[in-house]
Amino acid sequence: MKPTLSRTIAVLALLAGSSLSATAAEPNADQLLKQMSAKLAAAHSFSFRAEREIDAALLEGRNVPEQAYVAVLVQRPNQLAGRSTSKGGVRHFIFNGQTLSLVDEKKNGII
């Protein structure tokens, strides 16, 4: 199953909506999106997990899609860390506000 932008927005809106008080029987989608955006903008830190899939037609020499599981942590104002796990191995990325590092565990070093 391939993630789409509209599905991602819908999931984020549902997550944000679940933590907000219900003000109407049928909430307005625009209002929910604005509330979710405001809550996310006010957060000092947040994290998320995602599954990504690249179609085999986009990968040279492959006939099956490539999947990876990604976990990301954002700490404002300028820090970011993540981990991507796939058949090809595990990669970590870290941004400390000045330097972005990408480490490949399989290659045992910084890329």
Side-chain angles (χ1 to χ4, degrees), residues 35-88:
Q35 289 173 340
M36 184 257 329
S37 297
K39 185 172 181 110
L40 191 58
H44 180 67
S45 64
F46 63 92
S47 63
F48 63 91
R49 295 173 191 247
E51 180 180 340
R52 72 132 171 97
E53 183 174 306
I54 299 176
D55 193 297
L58 299 174
L59 301 167
E60 189 174 329
R62 305 261 179 104
N63 58 1
V64 294
E66 180 182 298
Q67 293 181 319
Y69 300 94
V70 181
V72 177
L73 172 63
V74 177
Q75 188 166 2
R76 295 205 169 127
N78 60 0
Q79 295 182 355
L80 174 73
R83 175 185 171 131
S84 173
T85 307
S86 69
K87 278 186 176 180

Side-chain angles (χ1 to χ4, degrees), residues 87-98:
K87 278 186 176 180
V90 178
R91 289 185 172 175
H92 300 268
F93 56 93
I94 301 112
F95 179 66
N96 66 5
Q98 295 181 347

